[in-house]
Amino acid sequence: MNRFSYIQLAFLVLGSLVLLFILAPLTGMFLNTTAGQVFETAKEQEVRKSIWLTIYTSLAGTLVFSLAAIPLAYLLARKQFPMKKLVTGIIDLPVVIPHSAAGIALLGFVSRESVLGKMGSAVGLNFVGHPAGIAIAMAFVSIPYLINASRDGFAGVPERLEKAALTLGASPFRVFFTISLPLAWRNILSGLILMFARGMSEFGAVIVVAYHPMITPVLIYERFGAFGLKYARPVSVLFILISLALFIVLRWVAKEKNSEIVK
Amino acid sequence: MLELKNISKGFVDFCLRDVSFVVERGDYFILLGESGAGKSMVLESVAGLVKVDSGEILLNGRDITKEIIQKRKIGMVFQDHAIFPHLSVEENIAYSLHGTKFTREEKREKVKAIANELGIGELLARKPATLSGGELQRVALGRTLIQQPAILLLDEPLSSLDTRLKSDLRRLLRAIHRKGQTILHVTHDYEEAISLGTKIAVIHQGTIVQSGSPLEVFNHPKSEFVAHFTGAKNFFPAKLVTDNQGKFACIHESIQVRIVTDLPDGDGFILIRGEDILLSVLPAETSATNNFTGKVTEIVLNTFGVDVTIDAGIELHVLITRESLEKLGLETGKTCWVHFKASAGRFIGK
């Protein structure tokens, strides 16, 4: 057997502590909730509506904003331009600012008095307290994940392949859709899943923009505030289980699809 | 016809200076140079992948210096093939047919025809990751040739292949050229240049230092660099023949050079490096199988030593040191003997 160094042993112990730190609270919550309680909660109309709302607002936000985020990621991966570092910094901004502050900023941006708000009002849409407002808040805090993952994906596509496609007479448009995008797809898909997941778990920015209709993180908070820890647990457990199931399936589908591309 | 007029391009640590040459329709033009000499840069300028600082590039009389890549009608095969990894062989080859007037069936037929010609007809459904280097090279050729380019650019197409595949691919490239395809081929390997080129240009530090037919360039190098780089002043068209003692290269009736090779009989070139030839002023018994006698016609001093030219029915260049020159007391008109081993001769098939 290889000699086991002390430093490896120390790292193993520290690493286990971190894992325990993540797993212990979650396990505690699961152990304190019975399957019956979760089942009862799942039957509640209010809970089901909120879970559905959370999923589709996050999905909508992810898909709509990806239309602009993916091209931006391509530019960042391929082009050099002045103040590129600044732009990269701006993109990471939503990750570092407090999300309640982000919510306040967004509220000003989408309220009836703002340009966007007026545009919305013109077509009868009020972002505040509306699923569209929730989707915007979710996208705001989660879009860096998609941009960064996609940028890494595009950067990993050899530029020579794009140039080869150009010498074969393809337009830059066709090169993007037939070469760059499919080859970066693994990273982009992973970015989409990450953005969707991050959007679903958002609380701070959403609660400022839209307390109602209630997404599940807000519902959990409200039940905790109104009825206490015991009542907040079953819905928390239920939401975690659904999120986990969703991401395991998404990851699995993504993996299947990608291994096909590589073959 | 492709014409480059005074192409210049500056980089931080490298530049192309006044590169000019003409590739006539039907030429197999070889651009020969060491790595870092600027060969690939020239190809990329022609293809439009890099923008030149000054100069003109004309293709069949049309100025394409500022033309965008996809409108140049130039086919380029990249050194690492640049095959699209997510597409099948068939989709790779058919890539440039998108948006053409051909029907789906016609496209399939065209792809099939070219794949069969290149010997990859069986691979159409495969993904690139499952192919060997030689197969990828053929896919890259097929993908480029299917668009019938005005000129085919090849960037070191043989460098990544082993010896056996190299000769297969050389044969294939020759066949493509015979069909009338104009080719501009970049390489650092003078054997490739001899074996394939109808014209050669030698590039050194971003400048064309000599161009002409292979015989002109190899037999009459204009500069020491070319002489040293091509490394083979003794370079003759010859026929490889087998007899009961082995193989020999027949340069003409009376001049036959014994060589060691496993190439099949046929036409080609023989190379004998000047450093490998021994010189004596008296007939000598040596172990060398090739022995000739002749008169010294020229003695030239250069940085590598002394280049002695001997007329022995063929003009042989022998490279010796200054000490040897003095010891042997060589002078123009003196009779002497040359000896070299069968292994000193190198045959390059055509």
Side-chain angles (χ1 to χ4, degrees), chain A residues 141-229:
Chain A
V141 297
S142 59
I143 204 163
Y145 297 96
L146 174 61
I147 295 174
N148 290 331
S150 307
R151 185 187 53 201
D152 292 347
F154 285 126
V157 178
E159 219 171 331
R160 253 182 358 280
L161 293 181
E162 293 172 358
K163 286 183 168 175
L166 287 172
T167 67
L168 293 168
S171 65
F173 210 68
R174 180 164 179 246
V175 173
F176 179 78
F177 283 105
T178 58
I179 307 295
S180 324
L181 195 63
L183 286 173
W185 187 241
R186 180 192 286 264
N187 289 64
I188 294 171
L189 194 62
S190 150
L192 286 169
I193 293 173
L194 215 58
M195 180 175 174
F196 174 51
R198 184 65 197 81
M200 267 182 73
S201 59
E202 180 53 21
F203 168 71
V206 175
I207 199 172
V208 177
V209 176
Y211 195 88
H212 288 284
M214 236 179 247
I215 58 164
T216 317
V218 176
L219 181 74
I220 292 169
Y221 176 72
E222 199 210 36
R223 293 208 165 178
F224 172 64
F227 311 110
L229 189 58

Side-chain angles (χ1 to χ4, degrees), chain B residues 182-349:
Chain B
T182 310
I183 297 176
L184 173 55
H185 172 145
V186 150
T187 181
H188 66 275
D189 181 352
Y190 66 85
E191 286 197 27
E192 240 170 88
I194 293 167
S195 162
L196 291 166
T198 58
K199 262 189 207 156
I200 292 182
V202 181
I203 186 168
H204 181 50
Q205 292 176 347
T207 317
I208 302 278
V209 288
Q210 188 172 359
S211 61
S213 75
L215 277 173
E216 272 163 32
V217 174
F218 282 85
N219 282 342
H220 306 286
K222 275 195 208 151
S223 67
E224 258 183 44
F225 170 77
V226 178
H228 189 59
F229 178 62
T230 53
K233 284 179 120 183
N234 301 305
F235 167 67
F236 313 97
K239 195 182 183 81
L240 189 62
V241 182
T242 311
D243 65 6
N244 50 14
Q245 288 177 54
K247 302 241 178 203
F248 64 88
C250 184
I251 298 170
H252 50 69
E253 290 289 300
S254 56
I255 308 285
Q256 296 173 349
V257 177
R258 284 272 160 210
I259 50 172
V260 181
T261 177
D262 48 14
L263 289 170
D265 288 359
D267 286 329
F269 297 93
I270 170 114
L271 292 175
I272 309 146
R273 292 175 66 87
E275 295 91 320
D276 295 338
I277 303 178
L278 286 175
L279 203 55
S280 65
V281 285
L282 295 167
E285 270 307 311
T286 69
S287 64
T289 28
N290 296 299
N291 301 288
F292 302 97
T293 177
K295 280 198 164 68
V296 176
T297 54
E298 201 178 11
I299 298 174
V300 181
L301 301 178
N302 65 31
T303 40
F304 311 113
V306 186
D307 182 350
V308 183
T309 312
I310 291 153
D311 181 4
I314 46 172
E315 200 171 74
L316 281 173
H317 293 266
V318 183
L319 207 61
I320 60 173
T321 59
R322 281 166 210 235
E323 287 90 335
S324 304
L325 180 72
E326 281 165 25
K327 203 171 78 187
L328 295 175
L330 288 177
E331 54 191 42
T332 321
K334 190 162 179 168
T335 303
C336 58
W337 282 260
V338 291
H339 320 274
F340 55 92
K341 290 176 156 191
S343 57
R346 196 157 161 59
F347 194 82
I348 298 171

